[in-house]
Amino acid sequence: MGRESQILHEAGLKATELRIRVLHVLLDARQPLAHREVVEQAGRRGLDRVSVYRALQAFVAKGIAHRVLGEDRVGRFALCDRKTAHPVHPHFVCRSCGKIVCLKKVRMPPVTREKLGHRIEEQFWTMRGVCSACLGAC
């Protein structure tokens, strides 16, 4: 069983060819990717854009991936660290180039239902500013 199939199996998802291709793209990604980028990198031939989006949503629901909003308000997807159950961490979004970086070394306190009395479905901790590469170009 390949790495992608194993991850899907452990998450309780069927290892379809499409899910394997989408997961492979996320495994190779260096930063969170928009839906459009996932489709392009997975190879358009034979891929239904709606099916790719459904696969990404299933990954988020099962804790395989997480979604973060970029400066352009487009959701981008990144793989969760399966070993540590993706601890809550902030993301940095560069307002100049749009780059998104997971700040995995910075821990944020999880907000639970017990603390608020609401069902928490998603948490977004985002820091916005200018990345070091864009600062250096000024």
Side-chain angles (χ1 to χ4, degrees), residues 92-96 128-132 134-135 138:
F92 178 82
V93 179
C94 179
R95 63 180 170 77
S96 180
R128 298 186 189 285
V130 180
C131 71
S132 58
C134 291
L135 281 173
C138 294

Side-chain angles (χ1 to χ4, degrees), residues 21 36-49 52:
R21 287 170 69 183
R36 172 188 51 79
E37 295 168 314
V38 173
V39 171
E40 288 170 2
Q41 291 183 27
R44 290 177 173 259
R45 188 177 227 188
L47 285 185
D48 176 55
R49 295 176 58 84
V52 170

Side-chain angles (χ1 to χ4, degrees), residues 94-109:
C94 179
R95 63 180 170 77
S96 180
C97 68
K99 181 178 180 179
I100 300 173
V101 179
C102 289
L103 302 174
K104 292 181 181 180
K105 293 184 179 183
V106 178
R107 298 288 181 252
M108 304 301 289

Side-chain angles (χ1 to χ4, degrees), residues 4 18 29 46 49 51-52 61 69 74 93 103 121 132:
E4 293 87 353
L18 181 126
R49 295 176 58 84
S51 296
V52 170
L69 292 177
V74 172
V93 179
L103 302 174
E121 294 179 346
S132 58

Side-chain angles (χ1 to χ4, degrees), residues 13-121:
L13 291 172
K14 188 175 179 180
T16 65
E17 181 184 344
L18 181 126
R19 285 179 178 161
I20 290 169
R21 287 170 69 183
V22 170
L23 189 53
H24 182 75
V25 168
L26 293 180
L27 283 166
D28 286 348
R30 293 182 158 287
Q31 66 182 34
L33 301 174
H35 168 258
R36 172 188 51 79
E37 295 168 314
V38 173
V39 171
E40 288 170 2
Q41 291 183 27
R44 290 177 173 259
R45 188 177 227 188
L47 285 185
D48 176 55
R49 295 176 58 84
V50 174
S51 296
V52 170
Y53 189 76
R54 286 183 185 142
L56 291 167
Q57 292 298 90
F59 293 173
V60 170
K62 293 292 187 172
I64 295 172
H66 64 282
R67 183 176 63 94
V68 62
L69 292 177
E71 188 69 14
D72 56 3
R73 308 299 292 164
V74 172
R76 287 178 172 74
F77 299 86
L79 226 55
C80 293
D81 183 349
R82 304 293 291 158
K83 295 175 191 153
T84 59
H86 195 65
V88 178
H89 65 268
H91 296 87
F92 178 82
V93 179
C94 179
R95 63 180 170 77
S96 180
C97 68
K99 181 178 180 179
I100 300 173
V101 179
C102 289
L103 302 174
K104 292 181 181 180
K105 293 184 179 183
V106 178
R107 298 288 181 252
M108 304 301 289
V111 179
T112 63
R113 183 177 186 162
E114 293 78 32
K115 289 182 182 177
L116 294 180
H118 307 293
R119 180 178 72 208
I120 307 300
E121 294 179 346

